[in-house]
Amino acid sequence: MSGANGKGSGSTGGGFRDLRRRRAESARGGRPAGLSLLPWLLMGLGALSHLISGEAANPWVGGLGLLAFNSLYIAVVMRAFVPGGRETPLTWGLLAALTALTFGLAAGYGREWLLLFPLLGLAVGAVVRRGRTQRLTVFPLVAAVGAVTLWRDGWDSLGIVYGTFISIMVTATILALNETVQELRETREELARTAVEKERLRFSRDLHDLLGHTLSVIVVKSEAARRLGPRDLDAALAQVADIETVGRQALTEIREAVTGYREASLSAELDRARDVLASAGIEPVVRQSGPPLEPQTEALLSWVVRESATNVVRHSGAGRCEIEVGGGPERVRLTVSDDGRGADCTDADTGTGTGTGTGAPGSGLRGLRERVAAAGGTLTSGPGPRGGFRLEAELPVEPAGEPSGASGFGANC
């Protein structure tokens, strides 16, 4: 047991490291970047035009100030999107320098230079996104902007004050919301991976417990047969017969473990799927109706439920998954549908596609389809009518008393 546990824990730790690495790689393409705030520097063209037209006093001072403003703005907004770089003393120092320079240029030149205040607001919003620091920063800053604006340009430029306040709050709100969504997505991925790893660990423990005793018995009886062979052939053959019996029993138990016969109840598998989906942050909707099913039919449907739920958790990105089992006296139907990414998602580990896409189906999905077909049923999969992905398995209801060996599923284990 300790070996299984150790292996499972290592696999979980490695999985989390891989997940963090994938997050770091995807963050560069999925999250907002500092480049998205650079086009707003065009608002400074009015100040540049004021310099070029020769209307500004001390144009060299103004030109150097505008160059320094652009440089500081770029440095601040780029650092604001670097993980771990937004709240460093260097970033705060650059922001303080940008604030002082903006007030100096706006107070010294007025007119078009007042448009630098909304740009300052964008930089402040990118750095100060939430919490008490935001409250202590925003309102004094906007009040100071209002004072300078009224002094230099009168009441006609109050729109600059409003624009500065809006630029701070909208930027901070959007970026804070994006951070929250990203954190929720990462938490959901970790919950999904934890649920899958937990199920793998459970199965490995079950298999370890199942085979440990059986293999020990086979080893002991094999040694006994080897020792008895030269002296008592009949006793040795009896030991060999026992080995054969134990081996057959072990084969049966392994088949039961793999196909879910040890917990062959479809209701139990549906409950397990509900728990796994809920743990991954996916809303489960499970419905079961119809007459009682034969153990072989329940086992095959349980396998389909298990595989489908695992793929929904790991790959669909869904927020809701519906599992419905129903039927009549002759046919039973299992439907699994979600509102996730649909045909674009494929199980990279098993090849079980959560969508068919345009390529060849995965080996896991082919395996399910072959097992269902061997039992006289059909399995179809593809995009759902309202998006997402839908898998439907239909099986004949076996008449009572049919031999268990008639199930094609057992033969394929």
Side-chain angles (χ1 to χ4, degrees):
M1 289 299 293
S2 61
N5 288 334
K7 184 176 182 179
S9 301
S11 177
T12 302
F16 286 155
R17 287 192 293 271
D18 291 343
L19 183 60
R20 287 192 290 269
R21 176 179 53 78
R22 287 197 299 271
R23 283 198 211 116
E25 293 173 353
S26 63
R28 293 188 291 269
R31 295 180 181 176
L35 294 175
S36 60
L37 295 181
L38 296 188
W40 292 100
L41 283 172
L42 293 175
M43 294 177 63
L45 288 178
L48 180 62
S49 175
H50 188 226
L51 284 175
I52 295 176
S53 65
E55 300 177 15
N58 299 316
W60 286 105
V61 174
L64 292 175
L66 189 59
L67 178 62
F69 174 89
N70 290 336
S71 302
L72 287 172
Y73 176 87
I74 293 173
V76 169
V77 298
M78 295 303 288
R79 287 189 61 82
F81 291 90
V82 175
R86 179 166 60 89
E87 298 180 353
T88 60
L90 176 58
T91 302
W92 283 104
L94 292 173
L95 182 61
L98 178 65
T99 303
L101 179 61
T102 305
F103 275 92
L105 293 174
Y109 290 96
R111 296 180 53 179
E112 294 88 348
W113 296 77
L114 296 176
L115 289 174
L116 298 180
F117 281 134
L119 280 172
L120 174 63
L122 292 175
V124 171
V127 175
V128 187
R129 300 181 185 178
R130 63 179 85 186
R132 185 169 178 268
T133 304
Q134 184 187 70
R135 293 192 296 273
L136 294 176
T137 303
V138 173
F139 295 106
L141 177 65
V142 173
V145 170
V148 173
T149 301
L150 289 175
W151 171 56
R152 289 295 307 181
D153 217 22
W155 293 97
D156 293 337
S157 297
L158 280 182
I160 299 293
V161 182
Y162 178 74
T164 303
F165 176 75
I166 290 298
S167 64
I168 295 174
M169 298 309 297
V170 170
T171 303
T173 301
I174 291 177
L175 295 180
L177 180 61
N178 179 267
E179 280 185 345
T180 302
V181 171
Q182 188 66 26
E183 289 170 1
L184 290 174
R185 183 180 295 115
E186 292 170 356
T187 301
R188 176 175 169 174
E189 290 176 358
E190 290 203 8
L191 287 174
R193 182 170 291 275
T194 300
V196 173
E197 294 292 347
K198 187 176 180 180
E199 181 65 15
R200 285 178 174 175
L201 184 59
R202 182 197 65 81
F203 183 78
S204 67
R205 285 197 300 262
D206 288 351
L207 199 60
H208 180 274
D209 295 341
L210 177 66
L211 292 178
H213 174 71
T214 301
L215 293 178
S216 297
V217 171
I218 291 176
V219 170
V220 171
K221 287 188 172 293
S222 298
E223 291 176 348
R226 178 175 54 81
R227 289 195 302 268
L228 292 172
R231 303 194 308 268
D232 190 342
L233 183 58
D234 292 336
L237 291 176
Q239 295 293 333
V240 172
D242 289 343
I243 292 173
E244 181 181 1
T245 302
V246 172
R248 289 184 182 277
Q249 180 63 29
L251 182 60
T252 301
E253 290 177 350
I254 291 174
R255 285 175 175 171
E256 291 175 355
V258 173
T259 61
Y261 279 15
R262 291 199 298 165
E263 294 179 305
S265 171
L266 179 59
S267 299
E269 192 58 48
L270 291 173
D271 290 339
R272 186 180 295 112
R274 183 188 290 111
D275 293 339
V276 170
L277 291 169
S279 298
I282 301 174
E283 179 186 0
V285 179
V286 180
R287 306 183 188 92
Q288 184 179 10
S289 61
L293 303 174
E294 288 294 308
Q296 291 77 17
T297 303
E298 282 208 8
L300 181 49
L301 292 179
S302 298
W303 183 266
V304 177
V305 169
R306 185 183 305 117
E307 290 288 317
S308 300
T310 300
N311 282 330
V312 170
V313 166
R314 296 186 62 187
H315 304 291
S316 71
R320 177 185 173 94
C321 178
E322 296 184 9
I323 303 176
E324 184 173 0
V325 181
E330 297 181 356
R331 306 285 290 185
V332 60
R333 180 182 295 106
L334 165 67
T335 304
V336 182
S337 58
D338 63 67
D339 60 355
R341 293 189 292 268
D344 294 331
C345 185
T346 302
D347 183 330
D349 294 331
T350 65
T352 304
T354 56
T356 56
T358 58
S363 59
L365 189 59
R366 280 198 302 269
L368 286 178
R369 186 175 290 114
E370 290 168 1
R371 289 168 175 171
V372 172
T378 58
L379 186 144
T380 58
S381 60
R386 292 173 293 181
F389 183 75
R390 176 185 174 93
L391 182 145
E392 182 174 295
E394 186 171 324
L395 288 168
V397 176
E398 295 182 3
E402 182 171 329
S404 60
S407 172
F409 182 60
N412 279 284
C413 293

